[in-house]
Amino acid sequence: MTTDLGRLEKMVSAVLADEMPTPEKIRALIEQTRPACPSVTNDEAAQLVRLFEERHGVTMRIGSKLEDVGFEKWLDNAKVNITFYYWDRYKHLLVGKGFSSQVLATMDKVTDRILGLLENPKKESSWDRRGMIVGHVQSGKTANYTGLICKAADAGYQVVIVVAGMHNNLRIQTQKRLEEGFIGFDCANLLSKGPANRSIIGVGRFNSSQRPNVFTTSLHDFNKQTARSIGVPLVNMKQPAVFVIKKNTNTLKNLIEWLKEHNAGRGTSLISAPMLLIDDEADNASINIKKRQDEVSRINGQIRQILDVFDHSCYVGYTATPFANIFIDPETDNDMFGADLFPKHFIVSLDPPDNYFGASHVFTTDQEEDGRSPVIRHIEDHAEYLPLKHPIDHRIIDLPDSLKTAVRIFIVARAIRLARGQSGKHNSMLVNVSRFVAVQRQIRNEIHTFLGRITDSVSVNASKPQKDALRDPELLKIRRVFADEYEKSCGVLWPAVKDNLWNVVRTINVVEVNSRSSDSLDYEGSGDSGLNVIAVGGFSLSRGLTLEGLIVSYFLRNSMMYDTLMQMGRWFGYRPGYKDLCRIWMLEEAEGWYSHIAESIEELRDELRHMEKANATPRQFGLKVRSHPDSLIVTARNKMGSGKSFAVSVGLANWFIETAILRRDAESLADNRRAVAVLAEAMRGIGCAPERGERINGGRLVRNVPANPVLEFLLMFKNHDGSILTETDPIRKYIEDREETELSKWDVYFAGIKEQKHSGKSLVDSTLGFKLICQRRSKGDRSDSQTLFVTNKQRVCSRGTEKIGLTEQEVESTEEEYRNEYVVPGDKSTLNYPDRIYRRIRRKPLLVIHILAIGNKNDDLSGTEPVVAWSISFPKTNYEEQKVDYVVNTTWVSERYGDEIDEEETGGDID
């Protein structure tokens, strides 16, 4: 980007800051301003027009909230006397960063909403408020809480404590962002008495007449000795006191001791200054769980101690994965709302701007579609060089071909961005394949060596005519990568890519990012050219740390826990002008887990929206979530260290379950086929013959089937011990409790396909007493002689199955409601309707019987034995939620989901 083009962008941004501009106004303004920037070409001006059209077309919804009853509203009346000094500076900064006027307006409303849920800092009597903000991974939570801090300081909060990540690089990142967005000074430079003009940064450039008192810098965490030297009690400071501290027991201990020794009022152990504590990544280490109680619970207790030191305190936990916070580990439901960090006063769900690159963009391909995902690529060749489970001294002798391909794609994608005029932007690639520092270092070195070979090829041959250049094997592979991934859709031709290859490869730096590495991701110090980096790491790349301009991710980790897995999704975020270039490598099984977890989180958000309309409280939401079927996994994981079995109470209303893990021994397979045959015969005996059912998608639907045949089928079916949610005893009890009311009549669908879609012969089965062309499913990689995992993604049902049995009008109305609530007008990519929207309006439960042919796409399966599986879609309940108990064995949880070391609790050679 030329200097004049950058100046023109800033000038136009400033004019458009407080407007909702039309495309016509954007073009006119750029033309009017261009004479002041004479070197800007017509092509660059057109590029700038497109940039502003995209930027100001971005919108954001306000989200939803739950709050406790009886809280006295204060903000509207107080605003008359508040001067928003800090907020106005921050808003100007966001304008310069390219935030659209619509997004800024919504952000203003959202931060007002949250501030209003905090207590009035002028209120003299004691108070303690606790809440949670649920965002999305990499969606701008830091920007939100920076805005909240600014407004809280303007309103009169005198102390701001931000408890950041557990690693230094995360704390430093947060410190720098708050220095830019709230403080206005580079505190490290200021304390070292560097040049004054270099100390003023970010919001300080707009106005630096007021300066918060900062007790931490990007170089130093909180230190008692430094704090003592300031010598002024917090309550006497004219400007807010700011602490950005690592989530570390020693740091927290030092802060607590200093607060008690030097700031408590006379005759009391409490500090009267109103305090706001922001717990960033609140689901990480802040939770009081039984596992490793001495460490994890200590951090939880220390945060609570800080709150108890202040007579006026607000705790706000920010997280994208709220499972652990809702499942705070009480012995009873009543204990959950006691003195712990449960957000008992308010919960706010943030909606991201509509240009957010999130789960709905990444996980959109149904399991039966022949086409591949536009984003995801599966890793299938890692076992020889990078096995999932490997020792700390594992030796790397080469890289998997898939990782080499990923590196080539990163190079090509960067070249495309250069050809698009995005020369001053950051570009990053993430490689997260091991938690061991020594292995990460070897991977980093291997990638560096591999990149060196590519650089040599580009240096010698890329400038030659195309025919001669492609005689180089490495350039030929790069050309094929471009053809396979981008050529048809990116709008850039190969010659332009080839011409930019040298500018790409010569600037890429391969760095190691972990607790032991001296490498860093210095985006700020990269200059006008932007940082081009391949970052290899473990936990530091798994939570909190932002990779600017992330294009390619290579992710090979075996954690299946909800919060860990979603937080590892650093690839979510904002990708202006290059969203189409992003690629993610992962195991097919991991893709299935991500899809499930993303759906579960969206269900929580849906529940929060609906409970907001019903004026529900956080307590009611907490009870609802604790009965969510996923609590089996989350709660069991939290109790892993207890080494015992325990019951988890689950509500099955408005939930979908399926047997994605099946017994594979011959006797069980035969028994389950017999159970289906008995079901079909029983249905015939009561006038519900399956062969007379409605033909839908190659299957047969029978309506209004009494519950008894369904109960008998579940009783006969041999469930796999590893499929805990489909244990038939709790399910049968749930049905029996409602057999005379809302679960008295069922829709039963025998799933099939219309015709043979593959070159291999399909299985035509007559287990049911009539012919059905069987659905095909593959065998998951973890299957063995006793266990069948149905596909690597562990999915049986096809997308859209849960709308079977609904009327056309019901389907159309619920899809329209979904579009109105979630879908950006004109955005076709998100019209892949989730099944939960149909389940919500079901009046009868749906049992789906799957007669499966297990094999690969083109196999001849005509002579194979069918495998029986089933799915149930339960409607929401109109009665008081009755829960059933599932008994969870922690040994099973460990075997099924792994007992991966909690990296935040370890040091040394594990990052």
Side-chain angles (χ1 to χ4, degrees), residues 75-103:
L75 183 58
D76 289 343
N77 292 332
K79 269 187 173 182
V80 179
N81 299 314
I82 297 175
T83 301
F84 285 101
Y85 166 83
Y86 289 110
W87 167 251
D88 287 342
R89 294 195 312 172
Y90 186 53
K91 188 167 64 173
H92 278 92
L93 180 73
L94 295 181
V95 168
K97 286 181 172 291
F99 277 58
S100 81
S101 49
Q102 296 192 52
V103 169

mmCIF file of all heavy atoms in Angstrom, residues 75-103:
data_model
loop_
_atom_site.group_PDB
_atom_site.id
_atom_site.type_symbol
_atom_site.label_atom_id
_atom_site.label_comp_id
_atom_site.label_asym_id
_atom_site.label_seq_id
_atom_site.Cartn_x
_atom_site.Cartn_y
_atom_site.Cartn_z
ATOM 1 N N LEU A 75 -28.184 3.556 35.134
ATOM 2 C CA LEU A 75 -27.322 4.193 34.140
ATOM 3 C C LEU A 75 -28.010 5.341 33.412
ATOM 4 O O LEU A 75 -27.403 6.405 33.195
ATOM 5 C CB LEU A 75 -26.819 3.151 33.136
ATOM 6 C CG LEU A 75 -25.852 3.678 32.074
ATOM 7 C CD1 LEU A 75 -24.613 4.307 32.716
ATOM 8 C CD2 LEU A 75 -25.428 2.549 31.130
ATOM 9 N N ASP A 76 -29.273 5.163 33.003
ATOM 10 C CA ASP A 76 -29.940 6.208 32.214
ATOM 11 C C ASP A 76 -29.950 7.537 32.952
ATOM 12 O O ASP A 76 -29.674 8.598 32.361
ATOM 13 C CB ASP A 76 -31.372 5.779 31.873
ATOM 14 C CG ASP A 76 -31.408 4.659 30.844
ATOM 15 O OD1 ASP A 76 -30.376 4.458 30.171
ATOM 16 O OD2 ASP A 76 -32.442 3.988 30.720
ATOM 17 N N ASN A 77 -30.258 7.514 34.238
ATOM 18 C CA ASN A 77 -30.279 8.751 35.009
ATOM 19 C C ASN A 77 -28.870 9.289 35.255
ATOM 20 O O ASN A 77 -28.648 10.509 35.271
ATOM 21 C CB ASN A 77 -30.988 8.538 36.348
ATOM 22 C CG ASN A 77 -32.466 8.272 36.176
ATOM 23 O OD1 ASN A 77 -33.087 8.731 35.205
ATOM 24 N ND2 ASN A 77 -33.057 7.539 37.105
ATOM 25 N N ALA A 78 -27.913 8.383 35.429
ATOM 26 C CA ALA A 78 -26.547 8.809 35.749
ATOM 27 C C ALA A 78 -25.826 9.410 34.550
ATOM 28 O O ALA A 78 -24.893 10.211 34.713
ATOM 29 C CB ALA A 78 -25.744 7.628 36.288
ATOM 30 N N LYS A 79 -26.242 9.043 33.332
ATOM 31 C CA LYS A 79 -25.532 9.489 32.126
ATOM 32 C C LYS A 79 -25.435 10.999 32.007
ATOM 33 O O LYS A 79 -24.484 11.528 31.433
ATOM 34 C CB LYS A 79 -26.237 8.932 30.880
ATOM 35 C CG LYS A 79 -25.702 7.598 30.418
ATOM 36 C CD LYS A 79 -26.344 7.237 29.078
ATOM 37 C CE LYS A 79 -25.712 5.994 28.508
ATOM 38 N NZ LYS A 79 -26.286 5.655 27.187
ATOM 39 N N VAL A 80 -26.418 11.698 32.565
ATOM 40 C CA VAL A 80 -26.447 13.158 32.475
ATOM 41 C C VAL A 80 -25.181 13.757 33.083
ATOM 42 O O VAL A 80 -24.659 14.773 32.614
ATOM 43 C CB VAL A 80 -27.698 13.711 33.208
ATOM 44 C CG1 VAL A 80 -27.717 15.233 33.145
ATOM 45 C CG2 VAL A 80 -28.955 13.129 32.588
ATOM 46 N N ASN A 81 -24.645 13.092 34.104
ATOM 47 C CA ASN A 81 -23.484 13.632 34.816
ATOM 48 C C ASN A 81 -22.173 12.923 34.485
ATOM 49 O O ASN A 81 -21.159 13.149 35.141
ATOM 50 C CB ASN A 81 -23.739 13.545 36.331
ATOM 51 C CG ASN A 81 -24.948 14.347 36.756
ATOM 52 O OD1 ASN A 81 -25.112 15.492 36.344
ATOM 53 N ND2 ASN A 81 -25.816 13.738 37.567
ATOM 54 N N ILE A 82 -22.184 12.052 33.468
ATOM 55 C CA ILE A 82 -20.964 11.319 33.093
ATOM 56 C C ILE A 82 -20.326 11.967 31.869
ATOM 57 O O ILE A 82 -20.990 12.197 30.853
ATOM 58 C CB ILE A 82 -21.276 9.841 32.792
ATOM 59 C CG1 ILE A 82 -21.803 9.136 34.045
ATOM 60 C CG2 ILE A 82 -20.014 9.126 32.293
ATOM 61 C CD1 ILE A 82 -22.240 7.703 33.794
ATOM 62 N N THR A 83 -19.049 12.265 31.960
ATOM 63 C CA THR A 83 -18.273 12.710 30.800
ATOM 64 C C THR A 83 -17.532 11.495 30.253
ATOM 65 O O THR A 83 -16.655 10.935 30.928
ATOM 66 C CB THR A 83 -17.267 13.800 31.200
ATOM 67 O OG1 THR A 83 -17.975 14.909 31.751
ATOM 68 C CG2 THR A 83 -16.455 14.248 29.990
ATOM 69 N N PHE A 84 -17.858 11.090 29.048
ATOM 70 C CA PHE A 84 -17.289 9.850 28.497
ATOM 71 C C PHE A 84 -15.950 10.128 27.817
ATOM 72 O O PHE A 84 -15.798 9.977 26.607
ATOM 73 C CB PHE A 84 -18.286 9.188 27.548
ATOM 74 C CG PHE A 84 -19.426 8.513 28.264
ATOM 75 C CD1 PHE A 84 -20.660 9.128 28.359
ATOM 76 C CD2 PHE A 84 -19.238 7.287 28.878
ATOM 77 C CE1 PHE A 84 -21.707 8.516 29.029
ATOM 78 C CE2 PHE A 84 -20.281 6.664 29.556
ATOM 79 C CZ PHE A 84 -21.518 7.285 29.637
ATOM 80 N N TYR A 85 -14.999 10.516 28.627
ATOM 81 C CA TYR A 85 -13.647 10.822 28.141
ATOM 82 C C TYR A 85 -12.973 9.575 27.575
ATOM 83 O O TYR A 85 -12.501 9.559 26.427
ATOM 84 C CB TYR A 85 -12.826 11.409 29.292
ATOM 85 C CG TYR A 85 -11.343 11.461 29.037
ATOM 86 C CD1 TYR A 85 -10.775 12.510 28.313
ATOM 87 C CD2 TYR A 85 -10.494 10.471 29.533
ATOM 88 C CE1 TYR A 85 -9.395 12.561 28.087
ATOM 89 C CE2 TYR A 85 -9.121 10.521 29.320
ATOM 90 C CZ TYR A 85 -8.586 11.561 28.585
ATOM 91 O OH TYR A 85 -7.232 11.606 28.353
ATOM 92 N N TYR A 86 -12.930 8.512 28.358
ATOM 93 C CA TYR A 86 -12.221 7.299 27.927
ATOM 94 C C TYR A 86 -12.944 6.621 26.760
ATOM 95 O O TYR A 86 -12.304 6.130 25.825
ATOM 96 C CB TYR A 86 -12.078 6.328 29.105
ATOM 97 C CG TYR A 86 -11.099 6.789 30.156
ATOM 98 C CD1 TYR A 86 -11.545 7.209 31.406
ATOM 99 C CD2 TYR A 86 -9.730 6.822 29.902
ATOM 100 C CE1 TYR A 86 -10.648 7.640 32.376
ATOM 101 C CE2 TYR A 86 -8.821 7.249 30.865
ATOM 102 C CZ TYR A 86 -9.287 7.664 32.102
ATOM 103 O OH TYR A 86 -8.387 8.091 33.047
ATOM 104 N N TRP A 87 -14.267 6.569 26.826
ATOM 105 C CA TRP A 87 -15.023 5.916 25.751
ATOM 106 C C TRP A 87 -14.895 6.672 24.428
ATOM 107 O O TRP A 87 -14.716 6.061 23.378
ATOM 108 C CB TRP A 87 -16.489 5.777 26.138
ATOM 109 C CG TRP A 87 -17.357 5.416 24.968
ATOM 110 C CD1 TRP A 87 -18.270 6.197 24.336
ATOM 111 C CD2 TRP A 87 -17.370 4.169 24.247
ATOM 112 N NE1 TRP A 87 -18.854 5.539 23.281
ATOM 113 C CE2 TRP A 87 -18.316 4.289 23.210
ATOM 114 C CE3 TRP A 87 -16.659 2.974 24.384
ATOM 115 C CZ2 TRP A 87 -18.580 3.249 22.312
ATOM 116 C CZ3 TRP A 87 -16.925 1.947 23.493
ATOM 117 C CH2 TRP A 87 -17.871 2.084 22.480
ATOM 118 N N ASP A 88 -14.965 8.001 24.473
ATOM 119 C CA ASP A 88 -14.865 8.775 23.227
ATOM 120 C C ASP A 88 -13.513 8.560 22.563
ATOM 121 O O ASP A 88 -13.417 8.460 21.334
ATOM 122 C CB ASP A 88 -15.096 10.262 23.506
ATOM 123 C CG ASP A 88 -16.553 10.582 23.793
ATOM 124 O OD1 ASP A 88 -17.420 9.753 23.440
ATOM 125 O OD2 ASP A 88 -16.834 11.652 24.373
ATOM 126 N N ARG A 89 -12.451 8.489 23.354
ATOM 127 C CA ARG A 89 -11.126 8.216 22.773
ATOM 128 C C ARG A 89 -11.112 6.844 22.106
ATOM 129 O O ARG A 89 -10.588 6.675 20.996
ATOM 130 C CB ARG A 89 -10.046 8.254 23.862
ATOM 131 C CG ARG A 89 -9.798 9.578 24.509
ATOM 132 C CD ARG A 89 -8.484 9.590 25.287
ATOM 133 N NE ARG A 89 -8.316 8.432 26.160
ATOM 134 C CZ ARG A 89 -7.188 8.150 26.811
ATOM 135 N NH1 ARG A 89 -6.134 8.938 26.677
ATOM 136 N NH2 ARG A 89 -7.096 7.087 27.595
ATOM 137 N N TYR A 90 -11.682 5.873 22.796
ATOM 138 C CA TYR A 90 -11.657 4.503 22.268
ATOM 139 C C TYR A 90 -12.480 4.397 20.987
ATOM 140 O O TYR A 90 -12.083 3.713 20.036
ATOM 141 C CB TYR A 90 -12.193 3.542 23.332
ATOM 142 C CG TYR A 90 -12.080 2.081 22.941
ATOM 143 C CD1 TYR A 90 -10.872 1.537 22.523
ATOM 144 C CD2 TYR A 90 -13.193 1.242 22.997
ATOM 145 C CE1 TYR A 90 -10.764 0.201 22.169
ATOM 146 C CE2 TYR A 90 -13.097 -0.098 22.656
ATOM 147 C CZ TYR A 90 -11.879 -0.606 22.242
ATOM 148 O OH TYR A 90 -11.778 -1.921 21.890
ATOM 149 N N LYS A 91 -13.606 5.097 20.956
ATOM 150 C CA LYS A 91 -14.437 5.063 19.755
ATOM 151 C C LYS A 91 -13.680 5.635 18.554
ATOM 152 O O LYS A 91 -13.745 5.094 17.447
ATOM 153 C CB LYS A 91 -15.729 5.859 20.000
ATOM 154 C CG LYS A 91 -16.743 5.735 18.883
ATOM 155 C CD LYS A 91 -18.108 6.259 19.317
ATOM 156 C CE LYS A 91 -18.055 7.728 19.606
ATOM 157 N NZ LYS A 91 -19.408 8.297 19.861
ATOM 158 N N HIS A 92 -12.926 6.694 18.759
ATOM 159 C CA HIS A 92 -12.120 7.255 17.672
ATOM 160 C C HIS A 92 -11.056 6.266 17.208
ATOM 161 O O HIS A 92 -10.750 6.173 16.013
ATOM 162 C CB HIS A 92 -11.458 8.561 18.124
ATOM 163 C CG HIS A 92 -12.354 9.752 18.032
ATOM 164 N ND1 HIS A 92 -13.139 10.178 19.078
ATOM 165 C CD2 HIS A 92 -12.610 10.589 16.997
ATOM 166 C CE1 HIS A 92 -13.838 11.238 18.709
ATOM 167 N NE2 HIS A 92 -13.527 11.512 17.447
ATOM 168 N N LEU A 93 -10.489 5.537 18.149
ATOM 169 C CA LEU A 93 -9.489 4.533 17.782
ATOM 170 C C LEU A 93 -10.104 3.448 16.916
ATOM 171 O O LEU A 93 -9.503 3.016 15.908
ATOM 172 C CB LEU A 93 -8.887 3.916 19.048
ATOM 173 C CG LEU A 93 -7.816 2.839 18.822
ATOM 174 C CD1 LEU A 93 -6.515 3.479 18.342
ATOM 175 C CD2 LEU A 93 -7.567 2.034 20.096
ATOM 176 N N LEU A 94 -11.292 2.986 17.261
ATOM 177 C CA LEU A 94 -11.942 1.926 16.499
ATOM 178 C C LEU A 94 -12.311 2.398 15.102
ATOM 179 O O LEU A 94 -12.289 1.621 14.143
ATOM 180 C CB LEU A 94 -13.186 1.430 17.243
ATOM 181 C CG LEU A 94 -12.920 0.751 18.598
ATOM 182 C CD1 LEU A 94 -14.231 0.279 19.214
ATOM 183 C CD2 LEU A 94 -11.959 -0.414 18.447
ATOM 184 N N VAL A 95 -12.665 3.659 14.984
ATOM 185 C CA VAL A 95 -12.934 4.213 13.642
ATOM 186 C C VAL A 95 -11.692 4.072 12.769
ATOM 187 O O VAL A 95 -11.751 3.632 11.616
ATOM 188 C CB VAL A 95 -13.364 5.688 13.736
ATOM 189 C CG1 VAL A 95 -13.351 6.333 12.353
ATOM 190 C CG2 VAL A 95 -14.746 5.799 14.357
ATOM 191 N N GLY A 96 -10.546 4.438 13.329
ATOM 192 C CA GLY A 96 -9.299 4.328 12.574
ATOM 193 C C GLY A 96 -8.935 2.908 12.231
ATOM 194 O O GLY A 96 -8.209 2.651 11.266
ATOM 195 N N LYS A 97 -9.446 1.937 13.016
ATOM 196 C CA LYS A 97 -9.175 0.525 12.741
ATOM 197 C C LYS A 97 -10.150 -0.057 11.730
ATOM 198 O O LYS A 97 -10.068 -1.245 11.397
ATOM 199 C CB LYS A 97 -9.238 -0.282 14.045
ATOM 200 C CG LYS A 97 -8.050 -0.065 14.959
ATOM 201 C CD LYS A 97 -8.171 -0.901 16.218
ATOM 202 C CE LYS A 97 -6.909 -0.842 17.052
ATOM 203 N NZ LYS A 97 -5.763 -1.516 16.424
ATOM 204 N N GLY A 98 -11.086 0.741 11.259
ATOM 205 C CA GLY A 98 -11.971 0.269 10.211
ATOM 206 C C GLY A 98 -13.293 -0.296 10.683
ATOM 207 O O GLY A 98 -13.995 -0.946 9.916
ATOM 208 N N PHE A 99 -13.665 -0.047 11.943
ATOM 209 C CA PHE A 99 -14.980 -0.504 12.412
ATOM 210 C C PHE A 99 -16.061 0.284 11.679
ATOM 211 O O PHE A 99 -15.981 1.514 11.559
ATOM 212 C CB PHE A 99 -15.120 -0.289 13.919
ATOM 213 C CG PHE A 99 -14.508 -1.381 14.755
ATOM 214 C CD1 PHE A 99 -13.159 -1.705 14.634
ATOM 215 C CD2 PHE A 99 -15.264 -2.088 15.669
ATOM 216 C CE1 PHE A 99 -12.586 -2.700 15.406
ATOM 217 C CE2 PHE A 99 -14.708 -3.094 16.445
ATOM 218 C CZ PHE A 99 -13.366 -3.406 16.312
ATOM 219 N N SER A 100 -17.081 -0.410 11.210
ATOM 220 C CA SER A 100 -18.162 0.281 10.513
ATOM 221 C C SER A 100 -18.985 1.072 11.510
ATOM 222 O O SER A 100 -19.043 0.780 12.711
ATOM 223 C CB SER A 100 -19.065 -0.731 9.794
ATOM 224 O OG SER A 100 -19.992 -1.322 10.678
ATOM 225 N N SER A 101 -19.671 2.103 11.006
ATOM 226 C CA SER A 101 -20.486 2.947 11.871
ATOM 227 C C SER A 101 -21.604 2.142 12.516
ATOM 228 O O SER A 101 -21.973 2.382 13.665
ATOM 229 C CB SER A 101 -21.047 4.118 11.067
ATOM 230 O OG SER A 101 -21.638 3.653 9.858
ATOM 231 N N GLN A 102 -22.144 1.164 11.786
ATOM 232 C CA GLN A 102 -23.220 0.350 12.344
ATOM 233 C C GLN A 102 -22.715 -0.545 13.473
ATOM 234 O O GLN A 102 -23.384 -0.709 14.505
ATOM 235 C CB GLN A 102 -23.859 -0.507 11.245
ATOM 236 C CG GLN A 102 -24.548 0.316 10.170
ATOM 237 C CD GLN A 102 -25.404 -0.548 9.271
ATOM 238 O OE1 GLN A 102 -26.229 -1.309 9.744
ATOM 239 N NE2 GLN A 102 -25.195 -0.427 7.969
ATOM 240 N N VAL A 103 -21.545 -1.122 13.289
ATOM 241 C CA VAL A 103 -20.976 -1.965 14.341
ATOM 242 C C VAL A 103 -20.645 -1.126 15.567
ATOM 243 O O VAL A 103 -20.904 -1.530 16.712
ATOM 244 C CB VAL A 103 -19.723 -2.702 13.829
ATOM 245 C CG1 VAL A 103 -18.966 -3.360 14.971
ATOM 246 C CG2 VAL A 103 -20.110 -3.747 12.793
#
